Every structure is written in C-alpha cells, then in structure tokens.
Amino acid sequence: MSRGLRNCNPGNIRRSRVRYTGEVVPSRDIEFKEFESMAYGYRAMFVLLDTYRRRYGLNTIRMMLNRYAPPEENFTEAYIRIVSQRTGIAPDQRINTLSARDMIPVVCAMSAVENGEEAVREDVERGWQLYVSK
C-alpha cells in the first residue's frame, strides 16, 4: 500500500502549520500529513487547490501542478500530461475550483499519479461534499 493511501492522504500533502478538517495531529508520518479518512484527505486536496487559485491566481492544471509538484522534486511535465489526458482538460485551460465537474476528475487523476492506483471515486465525491459543505 502506498504511503498516501496508508496515511489517508491521497495527495501526499506535506506536513505544515496549515491544519485541515479531519487531520490527525500529530501525524505519525514525519514528512506527510495523515487524515482520519480518505474523504478528509480528498477534501484537503480540494481546499489546497482552491487556495492556489484564490491566493496565487493559479487556475490551470499546469500552473497548479508546477506549485503542487515542483520540477525540483518531481517529473512535473509528465504529471501535467497525465492529469490532462485523464481529465480531458488541456494543461493551460482555466479550471473552476468551485466546480465538481472540473475538480473531481482532476483530483481523481492526481490521486492516481500520487499513489499508483485508481482513486475510489466515491471517496473523492465524499471529499467534495465535505469541501463544499465547509
């Protein structure tokens, strides 16, 4: 089982001072956050990507993934290509982080890249519901 799935952190979000609903504090993982359930891990991904849009103006797959998975640590161009192909959203097409139609497929694709296996769509949809119900 991948680290992200073991931690219920399908986006492999690193530990930081930011606290998310459903986060296990302290995480037992020294580098990555841990969540109570996969739904809360997916919720955190939605929150983080929306923060990128609101705070930094990052509103495309390319812009978001260059921050989320920087080239110094990742094969970012391959990551962008995979997410774009899986979602049918061009890398430089604007996406609406408040749209389930845009974001659920993006987060499903990111989870697959991060964990090496398909996301359970029901978990992603539960994460979306937690996110929109704030």
Side-chain angles (χ1 to χ4, degrees):
M1 176 181 287
S2 72
R3 190 179 202 174
L5 299 180
R6 191 172 50 251
N7 289 337
C8 291
N9 179 359
N12 286 311
I13 299 171
R14 291 193 180 274
R15 288 178 68 168
S16 69
R17 290 184 295 244
V18 174
R19 294 289 172 251
Y20 295 95
T21 302
E23 183 177 342
V24 174
V25 178
S27 174
R28 291 172 291 210
D29 189 307
I30 62 170
E31 292 184 58
F32 294 92
K33 291 184 176 287
E34 183 179 358
F35 293 94
E36 295 172 13
S37 70
M38 290 300 287
Y40 279 115
Y42 285 119
R43 179 195 178 278
M45 291 177 74
F46 291 122
V47 169
L48 183 57
L49 295 172
D50 186 52
T51 298
Y52 287 175
R53 178 192 57 83
R54 287 182 297 102
R55 190 170 292 162
Y56 307 109
L58 308 178
N59 59 8
T60 69
I61 290 170
R62 182 181 313 283
M63 294 167 97
M64 288 178 176
L65 290 180
N66 269 301
R67 181 172 180 98
Y68 191 90
E72 308 81 61
E73 302 172 13
N74 302 276
F75 297 113
T76 308
E77 282 304 313
Y79 198 153
I80 291 165
R81 188 172 45 260
I82 292 166
V83 171
S84 180
Q85 288 170 347
R86 285 176 163 258
T87 61
I89 300 171
D92 299 309
Q93 179 181 330
R94 294 178 97 182
I95 56 176
N96 179 355
T97 57
L98 302 177
S99 164
R101 183 177 53 87
D102 285 355
M103 295 308 295
I104 289 174
V106 167
V107 167
C108 282
M110 289 174 65
S111 178
V113 171
E114 293 287 336
N115 298 291
E117 62 184 76
E118 295 301 317
V120 175
R121 186 154 178 119
E122 294 79 21
D123 288 339
V124 181
E125 290 171 353
R126 277 195 288 276
W128 178 261
Q129 288 308 312
L130 289 168
Y131 168 63
V132 296
S133 66
K134 297 183 182 163

